[in-house]
Amino acid sequence: MTSEAHDLRYSSTFPPGVIAEIQRAADQGLYEIRGFGAKRKLPSFDDLLFLGASMSRYPLEGYREKCATNVSIGTRFAKQPIELKIPITFAGMSFGALGTHAKESLGRAATELGTTTTTGDGGMTDEERRASKTLVYQVLPSRYGLNPDDLRRCDAIEVVVGQGAKPGGGGMLLGQKINARVAGMRDLPEGIDQRSACRHPDWTGPDDLEIKIQELREITDWQKPIYIKIGATRVRYDVMLCVKAGADAIVLDGMQGGTAATQDVFIEHVGIPTLPAVRMAVEALLELGMHRKVQLIVSGGIRTGADAAKALALGADAVSIGVAALIALGCNKPVYVEDYHKLGTVPGACHHCHTGRCPVGVTTQIPELEARLHPEQGAKWLRNYVSTMVLELQTIARACGKSHVHNLEPQDMVALTVEAAAMARVPLAGTGWIPGA
Ligand code: SF4
C-alpha cells in the first residue's frame, strides 16, 4: 500500500456517516427522528429465486389458462369475510401522517382493484370511507380518533399490537403536521408534538386481548373479520398467541416496513426482516393446524410481483404495501427538486415525512403542497402499479405451473445465499442443502 493510500483510509468502524451522526448528536443532544423505513442492507426476497417449470413440472399457457388471484380473509369466525380479488392490500397509514388526498387515492384505487385499504392512528376520514368499498379500521394503542360508530362503518377491524419499523414503540406525529382537523380528530392540541402509546391501555397480554376481541365481535355482531397486526420479532410465539386470542387474520410487518416518524435507531436496529418472519409465522400456523384457517398477511418491503410471489410461496395468504404505495403516489419522484433541497435531501434519498413538508404532497397537511397530488391521478398511479404487480405475480405462478397464486410453494424456490437459505428454509441454489434443516 502506498503511503498516500494508507493516509486516506477510512475506518470500517467509524466511516464518514457514523462520524457525522456522532457529531450531529454531540451538537444537538437528541436522537434523529425520521420517516420512511430501514435503509441498511437486509436479507430480502431478492435473495430467493423461482425454479420455473421445465421437464419435471409443466407451465401454464398465459393466453389460455387462468391463474386465479382471489383470497378470502376472515373465514375463521367472521360472518362476512373479506373477499379480495387480488392478494395485495394497502397497509394502515394514518390521516395525519398522510394528507387527505393520499388517503382518498388509496381508497379509490383499492375499490377499483378489488382490494382493501386501511385506516391508521387518528381515525377514519369521511373521504376515505366514501372512496373505499372495503375499509379495514385500525384499533391502536393510542385510541386517537377511535370512534365506536366507525367500528360499525368499517368492513374489518385490525387491532394493532406493533409495527415492523418500530415493534415495541408507539408512533409519533410532530407538531408541524397537527393542523386543526388532525388535532380535532385526535382530541389533541394543534401544533404540539404527539406520541402514541406503545401498548394498549386496557390489556396486558393475550388473555385480556381475547376478551377485547370478544367485545369487538359483539359490538359488530360477529360480522366483521378481526385482524391482529404485529411487528416481526419473536414471531413464532406472537403468531401462536394471536391465534389463541381469537384472530381471524394476522398481519405480520417485517422490519423493512415504513413509518411516518420514529427514531432512526429504532428503524435500523429493532425487529427482524420480513423474509425469516414469514417462514416462522407459517411454521407456527402449521404447528397449530391453523395455516390457511387464520389468514396471514405479510408486509414490510414488498415492492414487486416477485416479492409478492415469494411471500405467497412461503405460505402467506396475501401481502400488504405501504411505502411502495406511497412511491407509486410520487414519493421520492424527481419533481419539485428545489423543495427536496430545502429539506436538505434529494429525490431518491428523502425520508422527511416527519417534517410535514413532503415535496410531492403525499405526507403533508399544507394545502399548497397537498394540491400537488390529485386523488384521481393518485388512484390511477396506484391502480397501474398494483395491476403490474399482479401481472408479474401471475407470470411467475404460471411459469411454475400453478393455476392459483396460492399454489406457489417453498419447493418452487432456491436461495442465493446461505443466510437466505437458512431463513427461508429453501435449498441453496445448485444444492439440496437447507442450512439447519
Ligand atoms: S417524498 Fe414525501 S412521502 Fe416520500 S419520503 Fe419524502 S416526505 Fe416522505
Side-chain angles (χ1 to χ4, degrees):
M1 189 182 290
T2 65
S3 89
E4 190 184 0
H6 190 268
D7 288 344
L8 293 179
R9 276 189 305 165
Y10 287 106
S11 164
S12 297
T13 309
F14 295 97
V18 172
I19 290 172
E21 174 53 21
I22 290 173
Q23 290 169 352
R24 186 206 59 77
D27 276 344
Q28 299 175 0
L30 275 177
Y31 43 56
E32 187 192 351
I33 293 174
R34 69 169 176 87
F36 214 70
K39 293 195 170 186
R40 66 189 294 169
K41 174 122 181 72
L42 291 164
S44 76
F45 291 122
D46 285 342
D47 300 327
L48 301 179
L49 296 175
F50 280 100
L51 299 171
S54 178
M55 289 290 282
S56 57
R57 297 203 182 193
Y58 203 63
L60 294 191
E61 176 53 63
Y63 288 112
R64 286 188 288 113
E65 291 170 310
K66 284 210 164 97
C67 177
T69 58
N70 60 303
V71 53
S72 304
I73 308 284
T75 52
R76 186 183 184 194
F77 292 123
K79 288 185 196 162
Q80 288 188 342
I82 302 289
E83 301 296 340
L84 302 176
K85 287 189 185 158
I86 56 171
I88 301 169
T89 68
F90 293 127
M93 292 179 274
S94 77
F95 168 63
L98 271 56
T100 46
H101 291 189
K103 292 296 282 178
E104 188 179 336
S105 302
L106 288 161
R108 284 175 180 235
T111 301
E112 290 168 17
L113 288 159
T115 188
T116 55
T117 188
T118 313
T119 65
D121 222 355
M124 181 193 294
T125 65
D126 287 336
E127 295 93 321
E128 183 176 33
R129 178 61 277 188
R130 272 198 303 272
S132 316
K133 180 167 178 289
T134 316
L135 182 61
V136 181
Y137 185 52
Q138 286 193 330
V139 174
L140 291 113
S142 70
R143 303 288 197 270
Y144 292 142
L146 184 73
N147 180 336
D149 292 332
D150 290 339
L151 288 170
R152 296 197 180 92
R153 287 210 297 163
C154 73
D155 301 285
I157 295 167
E158 184 171 301
V159 179
V160 179
V161 175
Q163 194 178 326
K166 50 193 177 196
M172 290 182 180
L173 198 64
L174 301 190
Q176 55 265 37
K177 294 181 83 170
I178 305 195
N179 64 12
R181 185 175 179 196
V182 174
M185 285 179 66
R186 296 176 184 228
D187 286 326
L188 288 168
E190 258 183 83
I192 304 290
D193 290 355
Q194 168 254 297
R195 279 173 188 261
S196 297
C198 64
R199 61 177 198 237
H200 288 256
D202 49 358
W203 53 270
T204 55
D207 293 335
D208 294 344
L209 178 55
E210 194 173 348
I211 296 166
K212 288 287 149 195
I213 286 179
Q214 289 287 339
E215 285 176 10
L216 291 171
R217 289 203 192 281
E218 280 166 25
I219 291 169
T220 55
D221 193 25
W222 289 74
Q223 300 288 321
K224 299 167 203 269
I226 298 186
Y227 309 177
I228 302 179
K229 179 174 182 174
I230 52 173
T233 55
R234 296 176 181 86
V235 175
R236 178 169 182 269
Y237 300 116
D238 291 344
V239 163
M240 288 183 162
L241 291 171
C242 287
V243 172
K244 181 188 179 302
D248 288 301
I250 297 169
V251 181
L252 175 66
D253 195 24
M255 78 173 283
Q256 291 99 325
T259 178
T262 201
Q263 297 96 327
D264 177 79
V265 71
F266 222 141
I267 300 174
E268 300 289 359
H269 295 279
V270 181
I272 68 168
T274 307
L275 172 63
V278 186
R279 196 262 309 157
M280 293 168 79
V282 172
E283 282 181 2
L285 290 170
L286 285 168
E287 202 175 320
L288 295 174
M290 297 305 276
H291 187 224
R292 305 289 188 215
K293 294 179 184 156
V294 170
Q295 285 78 39
L296 179 67
I297 303 170
V298 168
S299 56
I302 304 289
R303 306 151 296 175
T304 62
D307 287 344
K310 291 168 187 176
L312 296 191
L314 287 175
D317 294 277
V319 297
S320 201
I321 55 172
V323 171
L326 301 192
I327 291 171
L329 286 174
C331 161
N332 270 297
K333 197 171 193 172
V335 292
Y336 306 110
V337 173
E338 65 287 359
D339 287 345
Y340 286 94
H341 292 164
K342 284 182 202 160
L343 290 169
T345 189
V346 292
C350 185
H351 57 227
H352 293 67
C353 316
H354 59 292
T355 65
R357 290 161 53 209
C358 174
V360 292
V362 175
T363 55
T364 182
Q365 304 299 328
I366 299 171
E368 310 82 75
L369 294 177
E370 192 170 24
R372 294 175 180 179
L373 174 67
H374 302 281
E376 261 177 51
Q377 177 64 62
K380 185 176 171 199
W381 283 330
L382 286 165
R383 196 179 63 232
N384 286 344
Y385 165 57
V386 175
S387 298
T388 304
M389 287 181 75
V390 173
L391 289 171
E392 291 171 344
L393 168 59
Q394 288 175 304
T395 298
I396 287 172
R398 282 200 182 93
C400 294
K402 315 294 185 183
S403 58
H404 195 294
V405 292
H406 280 170
N407 296 341
L408 286 164
E409 54 193 333
Q411 289 77 5
D412 290 317
M413 296 190 292
V414 292
L416 283 171
T417 66
V418 174
E419 290 83 359
M423 290 180 192
R425 297 268 161 86
V426 301
L428 187 64
T431 77
W433 181 46
I434 302 176

